[in-house]
Amino acid sequence: MFINYYNKYKSINILLISSAIFYILFTVFGFYIGDMFSLGSIEKSKQLTSNPLDYFNHNIVSLLYFLSGLFTFGLGSIYSLAVNGVMLGVSLEAMSNKASFLGSLVYIIPHGIFEIPAMIIAGAIGLYPWQLIYQFLKGDKRIKIQWRLLAKLSCIMVGLLFIAGCVEAWVTPYVIKLIL
């Protein structure tokens, strides 16, 4: 059953893996260059809120940049994956200087387990034009856009962002107080 699923959605799986690899590479890059940046002003300017819709709205606006890759042949998505990955890496490096690396993960993991997959999905959707270019170069006479799959992934992405917003507003502050 898994093999049938994989073969049916092989093209989007490759895009998901590519998006994840971009994000991870840029996060690692951000972690290693993080000591070149000072996050003091960012920490002071970030106002925490207990309203999950504030986080949800912010994340939706951010993901529109990812989806701009649909119109820029993936460049908007790669740029967004790079910026978000580097920002995460720099933040992890800065927080691990103040606490420990594991302590810095406490700030990220509760909502990040929902938010990061949503970013990776958005990046994959934004990279989708490359799949169409590949089909064309392969000689497919009829290029098929998988609208249903893109709609399903978009719904999953929005659901993950809503859950991430709720967790970031209600759970993450509690976990931070509990552990740190």
Side-chain angles (χ1 to χ4, degrees), residues 121-173:
I121 291 170
I125 292 171
L127 293 173
Y128 192 72
W130 285 103
Q131 174 59 34
L132 301 177
I133 292 169
Y134 175 74
Q135 286 177 355
F136 176 76
L137 292 176
K138 199 169 88 174
D140 288 350
K141 299 292 183 203
R142 187 172 163 220
I143 295 175
K144 182 180 177 186
I145 299 175
Q146 298 175 334
W147 294 109
R148 275 192 196 160
L149 178 59
L150 294 175
K152 285 179 188 177
L153 287 172
S154 296
C155 289
I156 291 169
M157 179 183 63
V158 170
L160 286 170
L161 287 178
F162 182 75
I163 294 168
C166 292
V167 171
E168 192 167 4
W170 297 326
V171 177
T172 301

Side-chain angles (χ1 to χ4, degrees), residues 56-76:
F56 178 72
N57 289 336
H58 169 72
N59 289 337
I60 288 291
V61 169
S62 296
L63 290 184
L64 291 177
Y65 292 107
F66 282 88
L67 298 177
S68 71
L70 288 170
F71 308 105
T72 62
F73 292 101
L75 294 177

Side-chain angles (χ1 to χ4, degrees), residues 12-134:
I12 201 69
N13 288 339
I14 291 169
L15 295 176
L16 286 166
I17 291 168
S18 299
S19 180
I21 289 171
F22 278 130
Y23 188 76
I24 291 167
L25 288 175
F26 284 114
T27 301
V28 170
F29 176 72
F31 186 80
Y32 284 110
I33 66 164
D35 60 343
M36 296 168 36
F37 298 96
S38 171
L39 294 182
S41 60
I42 294 173
E43 290 172 0
K44 292 175 187 172
S45 67
K46 176 147 176 144
Q47 297 294 323
L48 297 177
T49 177
S50 61
N51 184 355
L53 292 179
D54 290 341
Y55 292 110
F56 178 72
N57 289 336
H58 169 72
N59 289 337
I60 288 291
V61 169
S62 296
L63 290 184
L64 291 177
Y65 292 107
F66 282 88
L67 298 177
S68 71
L70 288 170
F71 308 105
T72 62
F73 292 101
L75 294 177
S77 297
I78 292 170
Y79 175 77
S80 295
L81 287 165
V83 168
N84 281 281
V86 168
M87 286 177 59
L88 176 61
V90 168
S91 299
L92 283 172
E93 195 278 332
M95 287 187 286
S96 65
N97 283 339
K98 292 181 180 181
S100 67
F101 180 74
L102 292 175
S104 64
L105 290 178
V106 170
Y107 287 91
I108 307 293
I109 288 178
H111 65 279
I113 59 175
F114 301 104
E115 193 172 312
I116 292 171
M119 283 191 276
I120 290 170
I121 291 170
I125 292 171
L127 293 173
Y128 192 72
W130 285 103
Q131 174 59 34
L132 301 177
I133 292 169
Y134 175 74

